[in-house]
Structures are given as C-alpha cells and as structure tokens.
Amino acid sequence: MTIGQWFGFSAILCAIYILWQVRQALLLVFAAIVLATALNKLARWIQRFKIKRSWAIFFSISLLILTFVTIFLLVVPPLFDQLQELATRVPRGLERGLQRLNLWINDLKTQLPGDLWQNLFQVNLQINALIQQLQRLGNPVIGGVGTFLGNTLGGVFSFLLVIVLTIMLLADPLAYRQAFIQLIPSFYRQRMNGILDQCEEALGLWVVGALIDMTVVAICSLTGLLALQVPLAFANAILAGFLNLIPNIGPTLSVIPPMAIALLEDPWKAGFVFILYFLIQQAESNFLMPYLMAKQVSLLPAITLISQGFFLSFFGFIGLLLALPLTVVGQVLVKEILIRDILDQWEQ
C-alpha cells in the first residue's frame, strides 16, 4: 500500500473510533430525524388545507409537545405513586400472611404425629426465611427512588435536545440534506439523494404503521381494564400503547404496572389482567402487526428480533427503542448500496 492509501485507511479507522465514542449522541440525532420525518409528513398533510408551511410546522410541533406532556402527566405520577404504595404494602401483606401461617401451623401441631410435625416444622422455617428475604427486597425498591428521579432528569434533558434538533431539521430539511450529500463523493451524490428519498419514505410508512398499532393496543387495553375495574386504566392503556413501540420486550414490560396495581385491589384481578394483555398481544403480533408491516414495511420477524438484541447490546435502552426505525433505514441502505450498487455489479 502507498503512503496515501495508508493515510486514508488510518483516517477511516479514526472516523469509526470517533463515531463509536459519540454513538449515544448519534442515536439522539437519529431520533430527531425520525420525529422530523413524522412531523414533516403531518405538516405536508396540513398544507393541503391551504396553510403555510411555517404554520403547518408550528401546529405539528405543538401537537407533538402537547402529546408528550399529556402522556407524562397522565401516566408517570399516578403509576409512580401506585408502585411506591405497592412496594410498601407487599411486605406488610407478607407479614400478615406469615402470622396466619404460623397460627395455622400451631393448630396442626396438636393434631399431627411427631414425625410429620418435624417435617412440617422444617418447611415452615424455610418459608419464614423466604418471606423475610422478600420483605428485605422491598427496601431497595423504595431506596431506588432517587436513582430513578436522576435518570428521569437525564431523560428529560435528552428529550428536550431531541425536540430542539427536530425543530431545526423541520425548519429547513433541504439544507441539512444538501450538507450531508456534500460529504459523499461527487459521482455518487445523485444516487445517494435517491436513496435518502427511499429512506424517508420507508420511515414515514413505519411511523404510520406504528401509530395505528399503538392506537389499537391502547384502545383494547383501556376497554379490558375498564371492564375489570382496574384503577388508572387510562394511564396503563397509554403506557401499553407506547411500550408497544418496542416489539417482544415492550408488551412484557407493559403488563407489570397494571398487574401490580390489580394486586392492591384483589389478587384475582392480577390474573385476569395478565390474560387480557396476553390475548391482546397475541392478536397484535399474529394478525395486526403482520398486516401493517406487509402494507407498510417488509421486515422479517427474525431480523426484527436480531436487530433488537444488537442495538440493545451496543447502544442500551435508546438503541432498543430505536431498533425498528434503525432496521428500516438499514434495510434500505443494505438493499440499495451493498446489494444493488456493489454485489450486483461485482463481476468475476
């Protein structure tokens, strides 16, 4: 290799290292791009009513901020209070259960033979030790509130940063695209412009499909929770719809708060809540989502699962949240650049 080639290779390695170090910031930029794409689609729809683009963008951003603020106020405070109450009441319930168990065992002591009683006594000791361990687990839950609030503040800052970037991208999207195109070699700029159009279209279709899926899941969850008379049904339904953005993992997380709250009412309600969410997710994953993905974006289930594991391992929770849009864009890039422009043109 010549000196120039070594220099170019070293520059590529340095660029990869720098990009890896700022990967969290790049994920926030990508989140802003996804939001800007969705809001741009909404703004174009508003412009059909003879409204200027500046006002259409203002209405779109206002709707986004209003939606997030409403979801936060409706979901976070009541769920936080209920979960804190649950962490306090579960140890008390375990203590009362332990007292009842001891009374029941004392009654059996006078009625059972000596050998059988010794076996039951050993079991009782093991149960007492287990319950005491569960009681001690409640303290870290309450003590971790400060850590949770600290992480929440960091999340709020990241959210505000994404909103600001989204507004900047929406203000003049063509200028930012042209700035990115300038980083591409001149012979490939026109082709890259067409690829970016395809990425924008794929992201827009995914956003529409995800919104429909979230709405259906939220409505079904709300209907079921109201029928079961579970408190905070509206907040839990919104949470279920939002977490549905994270396939496979999100639905599992969404069932925990309503089940925990149902335990404060009646234990049997928790079982029915689990059955309700299980049926909703089965219908969503087997019927609704395949139909939407076939109509909007063609993603194989195995590719979706692999991408979630990959982005979660390397980028954390934000990577998991953005796994699907990242996969949608990656699929377009692989198809157009790697397959069509490189492998298909590779002659022996």
Side-chain angles (χ1 to χ4, degrees):
M1 295 178 64
T2 63
I3 296 178
Q5 291 174 333
W6 276 111
F7 180 78
F9 182 70
S10 301
I12 292 175
L13 291 180
C14 290
I16 293 175
Y17 176 77
I18 293 173
L19 291 176
W20 177 255
Q21 294 299 320
V22 299
R23 61 187 183 278
Q24 295 296 332
L26 292 178
L27 280 179
L28 294 180
V29 173
F30 182 77
I33 292 173
V34 174
L35 277 179
T37 301
L39 294 179
N40 191 40
K41 198 175 187 66
L42 178 60
R44 289 175 180 173
W45 180 79
I46 295 176
Q47 285 182 274
R48 296 180 180 179
F49 300 95
K50 308 300 181 182
I51 298 177
K52 293 183 179 180
R53 177 171 175 81
S54 57
W55 283 106
I57 292 175
F58 174 77
F59 289 143
S60 301
I61 296 174
S62 300
L63 179 62
L64 174 70
I65 296 176
L66 179 63
T67 300
F68 275 105
V69 171
T70 303
I71 290 175
F72 182 85
L73 293 178
L74 289 177
V75 174
V76 176
L79 283 181
F80 183 76
D81 293 338
Q82 289 288 331
L83 291 177
Q84 193 172 19
E85 182 182 358
L86 183 69
T88 306
R89 290 177 60 176
V90 165
R92 295 177 184 174
L94 290 173
E95 185 177 357
R96 288 196 298 268
L98 177 61
Q99 293 173 355
R100 294 177 182 177
L101 181 62
N102 287 329
L103 291 175
W104 180 71
I105 291 176
N106 290 331
D107 292 337
L108 287 178
K109 183 179 180 180
T110 60
Q111 304 175 9
L112 295 177
D115 295 339
L116 183 58
W117 165 247
Q118 289 296 330
N119 295 331
L120 286 177
F121 181 74
Q122 295 297 329
V123 174
N124 182 35
L125 290 178
Q126 295 176 1
I127 293 175
N128 288 341
L130 177 61
I131 292 177
Q132 291 174 1
Q133 291 178 4
L134 290 175
Q135 288 175 336
R136 287 194 295 267
L137 287 176
N139 296 327
V141 172
I142 300 174
V145 171
T147 303
F148 173 79
L149 291 177
N151 294 334
T152 301
L153 292 177
V156 170
F157 175 77
S158 299
F159 172 75
L160 293 177
L161 178 61
V162 170
I163 292 298
V164 172
L165 289 175
T166 301
I167 296 174
M168 292 180 177
L169 292 174
L170 271 177
D172 193 2
L174 186 59
Y176 290 98
R177 171 181 282 205
Q178 292 299 326
F180 176 76
I181 292 293
Q182 294 300 317
L183 299 176
I184 307 298
S186 58
F187 73 91
Y188 203 71
R189 288 173 184 171
Q190 185 175 0
R191 170 66 173 150
M192 179 56 69
N193 194 47
I195 294 175
L196 292 179
D197 288 335
Q198 294 186 44
C199 291
E200 182 181 0
E201 181 181 0
L203 271 180
L205 293 175
W206 174 81
V207 168
V208 172
L211 289 176
I212 295 174
D213 187 53
M214 289 172 54
T215 303
V216 172
V217 170
I219 292 175
C220 293
S221 301
L222 177 62
T223 304
L225 292 176
L226 288 177
L228 293 173
Q229 297 182 352
V230 177
L232 301 177
F234 188 69
N236 281 296
I238 294 177
L239 185 65
F242 179 75
L243 288 178
N244 208 63
L245 279 174
I246 311 174
N248 305 315
I249 300 175
T252 304
L253 297 176
S254 67
V255 74
I256 296 176
M259 284 188 64
I261 293 172
L263 282 173
L264 298 177
E265 298 290 319
D266 288 305
W268 64 268
K269 282 187 179 182
F272 279 102
V273 168
F274 176 80
I275 294 173
L276 169 68
Y277 274 62
F278 177 78
L279 293 177
I280 291 174
Q281 293 306 321
Q282 287 298 312
E284 185 268 343
S285 59
N286 292 320
F287 299 101
L288 179 61
M289 181 56 71
Y291 175 79
L292 290 176
M293 289 297 102
K295 293 291 183 180
Q296 307 294 335
V297 182
S298 298
L299 282 180
L300 296 175
I303 298 298
T304 301
L305 188 59
I306 292 172
S307 67
Q308 285 181 285
F310 175 82
F311 289 114
L312 176 62
S313 301
F314 288 99
F315 303 105
F317 177 76
I318 299 180
L320 178 63
L321 186 63
L322 297 174
L324 271 184
L326 283 168
T327 306
V328 169
V329 173
Q331 179 177 254
V332 174
L333 296 178
V334 169
K335 179 181 177 181
E336 297 298 324
I337 298 178
L338 179 61
I339 297 179
R340 183 165 298 179
D341 292 347
I342 297 178
L343 298 182
D344 287 351
Q345 306 297 326
W346 199 336
E347 297 181 359
Q348 186 175 0

